[in-house]
Amino acid sequence: MPELDGASTLVTGGAGFIGSHLVDALLDRGARVRVLDNFVTGRRENLAHLGDSIELVEGDLRDTDACRQACRNVELVFHQAAMGSVPRSIENPAESIAVNVSGTANILAAARDAGVRRVVFASSSAVYGDSPDLPKREGREGSPLSPYALSKKMCEDLGTVFHRCYTMEIVALRYFNVFGLRQRYDGPYAAAVPRFVRAYSRGQGPVIYGDGGQSRDFTNVADAVRANLLAAGAAGAVSGRAFNVASGRQTRIGELARIIRELTGGGPEPIHEQARAGDVRHSLADLTASGEALGYTPRHDVEAGLAALVEASRPSVAGAR
Ligand SMILES: NC(=O)c1ccc[n+]([C@@H]2O[C@H](COP(=O)([O-])OP(=O)(O)OC[C@H]3O[C@@H](n4cnc5c(N)ncnc54)[C@H](O)[C@@H]3O)[C@@H](O)[C@H]2O)c1
């Protein structure tokens, strides 16, 4: 792990699900933390427990002045802000490209001008697109299946180009289906884990898009956070490259529903709806490269993580919020 005591850091998207856990971890290690967020999907509650211990820049990635202000005097940038969600990007492709791609170019340019030591940024397993290979291995990507996937691929390419043109240190982390507390269960674009926990906590059957035979590599948010800290400190030839971050275990969506159903004490069968455009059929990460280059190995068992999430979600998830 890198020495972070006193380090000056920026977390874009720090009010979001993964970003807010990363903020907590950085503060725990003695770092100074600034957050850039426009709260489009992030929540003030995710930062409320921190009081004045962070500096908040409320602003938009698409605003170059906000990006410059956020990067000023910063050593390390953890760039998490983006419009997530494949279906959201299919509804609004221009938004995905503007926020994710132009926004990332703005942050990288601001980081370059501010002399930032390293940028670690959130990419996605979506970049594997239509590649049929399993497990998914860095260097064996297919064609993107959605504007979101394309936007993340373009961000990775931007990172490589900035690394080459400006000798900046930039590391991309390809998260595979991260889950944990603070992940949104509301709205049309919510991910499977919080939707299923929410539905079963209310005694309802969750909606599964498609037959449930599709699979994902579900990753505990604590592992995603650790991967960021490792990437911030990794020595050697990591810059300009992208690494998988996952649990390395394949779980079918139908199985996920069954596990959560048991953990919540039972409930009706899932309701099957039409499969969604842009969704890949199977996903499982090869973790060889991230293990060798970053020292990353997943520490959290998926079922234990789901059990802890169900337990911790009981009072808030069942409410009518
Ligand atoms: N959650 C996952 O399973 C997963 C998987 C792969 C990749 N990712 C990536 O990880 C990152 C974090 O995802 P998350 O699940 O925490 O999502 P999230 O929506 O909870 O967090 C994103 C944050 O970015 C902020 N944001 C969005 N647009 C912004 C803009 N224009 N300007 C400033 N702030 C903006 C949001 O308000 C939010 O706080 C994203 O880049 C996402 O694409 C997530």
Side-chain angles (χ1 to χ4, degrees):
M1 283 287 171
E3 183 49 62
L4 288 164
D5 198 17
S8 166
T9 66
L10 167 68
V11 181
T12 73
F17 160 49
I18 300 170
S20 64
H21 286 280
L22 182 54
V23 169
D24 287 341
L26 289 167
L27 289 172
D28 281 350
R29 286 163 180 77
R32 282 177 288 141
V33 181
R34 187 181 289 155
V35 165
L36 171 67
D37 207 297
N38 68 351
F39 296 96
V40 63
T41 54
R43 290 182 158 147
R44 288 178 205 280
E45 300 102 273
N46 291 345
L47 300 173
H49 60 291
L50 303 175
D52 295 339
S53 48
I54 59 157
E55 183 189 342
L56 176 64
V57 176
E58 190 164 345
D60 197 298
L61 289 176
R62 289 163 290 188
D63 173 358
T64 50
D65 288 339
C67 293
R68 272 201 216 101
Q69 187 192 339
C71 285
R72 200 168 294 144
N73 299 322
V74 160
E75 298 167 52
L76 284 168
V77 172
F78 297 92
H79 176 39
Q80 307 296 310
M83 294 316 304
S85 164
V86 165
R88 182 171 184 142
S89 78
I90 288 175
E91 293 272 323
N92 197 340
E95 176 192 56
S96 279
I97 301 300
V99 172
N100 299 1
V101 184
S102 300
T104 296
N106 289 340
I107 280 293
L108 292 180
R112 175 200 61 188
D113 295 346
V116 166
R117 182 167 65 72
R118 182 170 287 184
V119 179
V120 178
F121 78 91
S123 185
S124 167
S125 59
V127 299
Y128 288 105
D130 66 0
S131 162
D133 294 356
L134 270 190
K136 308 289 182 194
R137 186 168 300 137
E138 298 89 340
R140 297 182 62 88
E141 297 79 16
S143 295
L145 290 170
S146 65
Y148 172 73
L150 173 64
S151 77
K152 289 294 180 181
K153 184 178 184 312
M154 290 169 81
C155 289
E156 288 190 2
D157 289 347
L158 269 176
T160 307
V161 166
F162 268 70
H163 164 67
R164 287 190 184 141
C165 292
Y166 312 116
T167 58
M168 287 174 69
E169 292 188 20
I170 303 178
V171 185
L173 299 178
R174 292 179 180 166
Y175 301 153
F176 283 64
N177 294 78
V178 183
F179 72 93
L181 267 182
R182 303 182 192 154
Q183 190 169 26
R184 292 188 80 131
Y185 55 78
D186 54 339
Y189 307 120
V193 171
R195 280 197 303 107
F196 291 8
V197 172
R198 165 80 162 169
Y200 277 128
S201 301
R202 305 173 109 202
Q204 297 164 351
V207 171
I208 291 181
Y209 298 103
D211 63 5
Q214 67 272 39
S215 64
R216 296 290 181 267
D217 189 336
F218 291 101
T219 310
N220 194 300
V221 68
D223 280 327
V225 165
R226 245 186 56 260
N228 274 274
L229 304 181
L230 289 166
V238 295
S239 191
R241 294 174 62 193
F243 298 97
N244 291 343
V245 172
S247 67
R249 178 185 147 181
Q250 191 174 16
T251 305
R252 289 182 187 271
I253 295 294
E255 187 191 348
L256 176 77
R258 185 190 53 72
I259 294 169
I260 293 175
R261 185 182 181 201
E262 279 170 18
L263 288 169
T264 50
E269 290 294 326
I271 302 149
H272 290 267
E273 292 188 2
Q274 201 182 0
R276 294 184 305 193
D279 275 348
V280 300
R281 181 72 182 162
H282 292 297
S283 187
L284 171 68
D286 181 299
L287 296 173
T288 312
S290 46
E292 286 174 2
L294 308 179
Y296 171 81
T297 44
R299 286 195 181 159
H300 296 269
D301 172 73
V302 176
E303 288 205 29
L306 291 171
L309 176 64
V310 165
E311 201 44 49
S313 304
R314 277 191 205 283
S316 59
V317 166
R321 202 167 59 165

